[in-house]
Amino acid sequence: MKKLISVAVGGLLGGVALAASGFASAADILLYPTGPAQDSSFVRFVDGGTHGVEVTAAGSKARLSLDAANPASHFLPIAAGKPVAGTLTSGGAHQDVSATVQPGEFVSIVALDGTHAVTVREKPDDFNALKASVALYNLDARCAAPTLKVAGRDVVLLDGVAAGQTKRRQVNPVTLSVQLSCGGQPVGQALSLGTLVAGQRYTVFLVPAGAQSRIFFANDAVSH
């Protein structure tokens, strides 16, 4: 589930440029109106650090910038089974990356500590037009027994997610804030996910942050 990768983005070509220019317009697109096409696959890039990351596509040289305000790109449709390659740049450091995504698979390439990157893979089959879907991606092995609770309540939303793994569940489309705990102790401030929308999917990323851990979230929209 989790592996080191190099960071350039070869086969994305126009997809990266489209994502870079379409953050606002794609924000309201449902990820799975009818479920993923069997011959399509999807990749997104995520800044899990605090210094900003620039993704450059190999070949086209199209660029995508990620920062604290926009830490995650939309999912970019790519040809299934064909490797994509590119370069991650952060604070003057560079690393090449490549990945092959299978049909129906959604891959997130998450840059941690600048250009150190890990991949997280999902092949979802749980679309529900009446529910929202929330996932926890655990990218911080130092957080013992990570748990997401509904903020202000002793209600567990997601737990039992090992480092490098994911877990997802369906929830009612309500206004939701979550609180991270590690080893049974709350960590950081509550994170507001806003008002969830039926049929849409969301990911909460758990990443290292100095001596502690932190969480942030992204709407799992697809770029068109």
Side-chain angles (χ1 to χ4, degrees), residues 11 19 43 45 50 92 166 172 186:
V43 65
F45 295 88
T50 57
T166 74
N172 290 325

Side-chain angles (χ1 to χ4, degrees), residues 8 10 29 37 48 59 69 87 106 114 129 153 191 197 199 223:
I29 296 172
T87 301
F106 288 73
R153 301 175 59 189
L191 173 67
V197 177
S223 182

Side-chain angles (χ1 to χ4, degrees), residues 2 46 48 110 112 118 120 135-148 158 161-165 180-182 187 191 203-209 212-217:
K2 174 180 176 181
V46 182
V110 185
L112 302 174
V118 296
V120 182
L136 175 63
Y137 285 16
N138 181 5
L139 302 172
D140 186 5
R142 299 175 307 173
C143 179
T147 301
L148 275 187
L158 290 160
V161 186
Q165 304 294 316
L180 171 68
S181 71
C182 298
V187 175
L191 173 67
T203 298
V204 176
F205 296 89
L206 166 58
V207 297
Q212 288 194 318
S213 304
R214 72 180 180 96
I215 54 175
F216 63 96
F217 84 100

Side-chain angles (χ1 to χ4, degrees), residues 90-173:
S90 179
H94 306 272
Q95 185 174 350
D96 293 335
V97 296
S98 62
T100 299
V101 188
Q102 300 306 312
E105 191 173 44
F106 288 73
V107 167
S108 298
I109 298 176
V110 185
L112 302 174
D113 299 323
T115 57
H116 167 72
V118 296
T119 59
V120 182
R121 298 175 180 270
E122 279 195 278
K123 201 167 185 179
D125 58 1
D126 61 343
F127 174 72
N128 186 331
L130 301 180
K131 297 278 189 175
S133 177
V134 178
L136 175 63
Y137 285 16
N138 181 5
L139 302 172
D140 186 5
R142 299 175 307 173
C143 179
T147 301
L148 275 187
K149 290 186 175 182
V150 178
R153 301 175 59 189
D154 191 22
V155 175
V156 173
L157 182 67
L158 290 160
D159 64 357
V161 186
Q165 304 294 316
T166 74
K167 182 178 285 189
R168 183 176 289 278
R169 67 173 291 181
Q170 302 284 345
V171 298
N172 290 325

